Amino acid sequence: MEYLLQLAASPTAWVALATLVVMEIVLGIDNLIFISILTNKLPEQHRQKARRIGIGMALILRLGLLSTIAFIVQLTAPVIEVFGQAFSWKDMILIAGGLFLLWKATTEIHHSMDPAPEDPTSATSTVTLGFAAAIGQILMLDMVFSIDSIITAVGMTEHLPIMIIAVVVSVLVMLLAADPLAKFINDNPTVVMLALGFLIMIGMTLIAEGFGAHVPKGYVYAAMAFSAAIEVLNMMSRRARQKRVSAEA
């Protein structure tokens, strides 16, 4: 208790908490975009449930990983060497997660460009399998993003209570933003392609990080913000044209 009171009275601890909360929220954007796109593929009545399960699992994973910080830190130690390049467990997890994101985003882009006809006779089985597959894929990416998030937290502060608060706050923000973001993506089909492009970029970044090439996160998120701003301008332009056409009609 005395330890917590000392932290609460420390300005440095509050600065560390605020910085870490912001970092965790920014890192959670990747996960949230993936969850939004994936759950929008489900029937409408299952989407919110899948999003809440996915984000809830992210919270459980991150809190669970925080309880094994000593083990998580060891994941950065090299375990194998291939052609002179050393790889740790973290590197291999990031590479696997990046490859999965590339495969998933490419598959979704192909489906958007050339959607397969649906078989009405198998609607029930598709819903069940689709929901289970969505949860499984969310869980896999939750693991990748959670490990990256916790290692970032460990690198920024040594105080476990600060890490726990930052993780809980960031996941709560994800939970609040999940439904509006998913609805926005679903209502604006052109945004889906942009978000899938973000996932490809994030996947390439994860693979690069896994091979030891540090990619500053600021550059990645600046590119995402610039692309999103251009898309917002395009949306405003389309709506202005539609209003003008309606007024003329």
Side-chain angles (χ1 to χ4, degrees):
M1 187 64 181
E2 183 179 351
Y3 170 65
L4 294 177
L5 291 175
Q6 289 176 350
L7 277 181
S10 171
T12 304
W14 284 102
V15 171
L17 175 61
T19 305
L20 189 54
V21 165
V22 172
M23 285 294 298
E24 292 293 321
I25 290 173
V26 171
L27 289 173
I29 292 173
D30 311 344
N31 204 355
L32 194 55
I33 290 174
F34 177 80
I35 290 175
S36 298
I37 291 178
L38 199 58
T39 53
N40 279 346
K41 305 290 290 184
L42 296 172
E44 189 170 355
Q45 66 269 26
H46 295 283
R47 293 175 185 174
Q48 187 178 63
K49 179 181 178 182
R51 283 193 290 269
R52 290 179 177 176
I53 291 175
I55 295 173
M57 289 190 303
L59 177 60
I60 293 171
L61 278 172
R62 293 179 192 193
L63 293 179
L65 290 173
L66 278 174
S67 66
T68 58
I69 287 180
F71 172 73
I72 295 300
V73 171
Q74 291 175 2
L75 291 179
T76 59
V79 290
I80 63 171
E81 185 172 325
V82 180
F83 299 114
Q85 174 72 45
F87 294 94
S88 65
W89 282 112
K90 178 196 173 187
D91 295 332
M92 291 185 282
I93 290 171
L94 290 179
I95 292 171
L99 290 173
F100 175 76
L101 271 183
L102 289 181
W103 168 78
K104 186 62 183 176
T106 303
T107 302
E108 291 296 330
I109 289 174
H110 175 73
H111 178 74
S112 298
M113 300 292 291
D114 184 23
E118 296 182 0
D119 182 5
T121 61
S122 60
T124 304
S125 61
T126 302
V127 170
T128 304
L129 293 175
F131 186 83
I135 295 300
Q137 292 176 28
I138 290 172
L139 179 59
M140 178 179 176
L141 261 295
D142 275 348
M143 176 64 74
V144 175
F145 289 127
S146 294
I147 289 176
D148 194 30
S149 171
I150 296 306
I151 290 177
T152 299
V154 171
M156 292 187 66
T157 181
E158 59 183 14
H159 302 296
L160 184 59
I162 291 178
M163 297 182 203
I164 293 175
I165 294 172
V167 165
V168 171
V169 170
S170 66
V171 173
L172 287 177
V173 170
M174 287 174 59
L175 190 60
L176 292 174
D179 288 344
L181 178 62
K183 185 178 185 303
F184 178 76
I185 290 176
N186 190 55
D187 293 343
N188 299 273
T190 57
V191 176
V192 175
M193 199 63 69
L194 179 64
L196 290 172
F198 288 164
L199 291 183
I200 290 178
M201 182 170 62
I202 294 165
M204 292 299 298
T205 302
L206 291 177
I207 293 172
E209 293 276 358
F211 278 97
H214 177 63
V215 180
K217 292 290 194 301
Y219 292 159
V220 175
Y221 293 119
M224 291 172 63
F226 178 77
S227 302
I230 296 298
E231 180 60 25
V232 169
L233 292 176
N234 284 330
M235 291 169 59
M236 292 172 64
S237 175
R238 285 194 296 269
R239 288 177 182 174
R241 284 198 301 269
Q242 289 173 358
K243 287 181 180 179
R244 187 163 55 249
V245 169
S246 298
E248 292 173 354

